[in-house]
Amino acid sequence: MDESAIRTQLNDAGYALVQVEPRLQGLGSTIRPDVLAWAADNDGVLVPWAVVEVKHRQVAGHSAALRQLATIRDQLGTVDHYVVIDGEWFRADRGLRTATPISGPVSPANGADGVLQDVSLATSLIQERLWNAANRRRHDGQRLDSLELFADLLPGSLSGELVARSGHTVRADRDVLWRAGRRALTAFTSQDKNTDLFVSHPAIARAVAELAGDAISGTVLDPFCGTGEFLWAAADRAVAASRSVELVGVDFSSQMIEIASSLASAAPVPARAIQGNAYSELPTDVDLVLSSPPLGLRLPTQHELLNGTSTKDGDLASIDVAIRSLRSGGRAVLQISPGVTFRANGEAYRQFLAENVRVAALIGCPRGTVPGTGTGSVLLVIDKLPPTKTFVSQLGEDWEDQLSSGGAAITAAVAHLDDKTAKAT
Ligand SMILES: C[S@@+](CC[C@H](N)C(=O)[O-])C[C@H]1O[C@@H](n2cnc3c(N)ncnc32)[C@H](O)[C@@H]1O
């Protein structure tokens, strides 16, 4: 008997969600249950409930299988344990010391209809749905566009129910679906060279939100929001610090807005995504701007900068529109092209910034920080306040560690940002 026949028998016994050799957090990479079935616990939460170890008589008896089941039970807290040897079912006793013959799996004690609270499982169900749809489209000879696929399928995935392979629907917590949707998006698009350009690196998004510091409150705007990674990272921090925020994302692309809107509707804080041109139609008086414009963009028309000069340089213009959107005292955190720090055409505007706003931090980041490009980037923090000293740092290969929570660079940068009295030199 193969694993898919065992899956069918478990489905027939009332289990809606059955996984064959699942990858699970908390289990060592060498230990994977042959078959795992989920069911409701006493509180109605969907938990790993039954495990089946599959053996062939000539290879092993019960004892090896029972040892494996015990390891899995210790790690996952499973309740019902089976060994299937050449198609014959055996059920283990509570202590997992013996296994006795049984005609097939027993129905789960509290039924299978629990609420899914496990983000990894929800992510894998969304991913499974995406891969199946992608394979169907490929099979029908359609060109595969990950973001189009995501835009089509995400609203269904975030609506409150996920469809398991058996066709049964699984109810899930809204917050779990929101997190799972974000994880599935970054995992799915990072494997597609045509689309990774639109989704910021999660480590950069987290660092950008940390650099926002206390400024995470009130209206938070991302003028080039893409699928919204920066905004969702800000939401994580706002929720952790019990701050009230309203997130607003703007993007040129209708597809980005479709995806960002789906995620916004499931976000734990008020959020919306609007289609628009960041260089001409942004809200004003916002408390915080988070932004990663396309690097090295040439604008089709001249943009008038705050210093009175005009430019077609999209990098300079994107700093300018961020400052224009801010209320006095607000903060902007941008991931921009390294060129803005040294290109000759930016000299006058750099001088203007140095004299008129607090250029609070400049953190140079190497290749790998902007997915889909071979270039590095700079994290720039500007407060709409009088000038003070600038924190300057250049990161190397270990940029992810340096920018992780508690990392040396981010800790030093945040300490400087919090000291708003540091005088300009
Ligand atoms: C690097 S991506 C942003 C990724 C985003 N930070 C995230 O968190 O996933 C840049 C985005 O800018 C958008 N864009 C390009 N030109 C624009 C414009 N003039 N106005 C608004 N959005 C624009 C692109 O559609 C793209 O989604």
Side-chain angles (χ1 to χ4, degrees), residues 89-264:
W89 284 75
F90 297 84
R91 190 181 191 194
D93 68 341
R94 267 171 184 275
L96 298 180
R97 277 182 293 271
T98 58
T100 46
I102 190 166
S103 56
V106 175
S107 303
N110 306 307
D113 191 22
V115 178
L116 177 55
Q117 290 184 347
D118 183 292
V119 178
S120 308
L121 176 61
T123 308
S124 66
L125 290 179
I126 294 176
Q127 282 174 320
E128 196 173 88
R129 197 159 166 249
L130 286 165
W131 287 122
N132 289 343
N135 286 337
R136 270 199 306 277
R137 288 189 189 188
R138 265 199 217 98
H139 185 258
D140 295 347
Q142 293 181 33
R143 197 180 57 86
L144 185 67
D145 176 333
S146 298
L147 288 169
E148 186 187 294
L149 191 67
F150 220 86
D152 290 351
L153 295 185
L154 194 61
S157 297
L158 297 181
S159 66
E161 288 180 342
L162 291 170
V163 181
R165 211 183 147 114
S166 61
H168 293 79
T169 51
V170 179
R171 283 177 300 131
D173 273 356
R174 180 187 154 112
D175 186 59
V176 167
L177 287 175
W178 186 63
R179 287 178 194 290
R182 288 166 61 192
R183 276 202 208 171
L185 173 68
T186 36
F188 202 68
T189 52
S190 66
Q191 290 168 16
D192 182 340
K193 286 279 155 284
N194 298 319
T195 56
D196 55 0
L197 201 57
F198 295 100
V199 186
S200 294
H201 195 296
I204 291 290
R206 204 211 60 78
V208 162
E210 184 160 357
L211 291 170
D214 286 349
I216 296 195
S217 66
T219 310
V220 179
L221 168 71
D222 185 341
F224 302 88
C225 71
T227 58
E229 279 297 299
F230 281 12
L231 293 173
W232 318 139
D236 287 341
R237 290 190 76 82
V239 168
S242 307
R243 281 172 188 267
S244 126
V245 286
E246 189 199 351
L247 309 177
V248 183
V250 173
D251 202 285
F252 219 37
S253 144
S254 57
Q255 203 173 49
M256 293 301 132
I257 290 302
E258 234 178 293
I259 296 174
S261 295
S262 298
L263 288 164

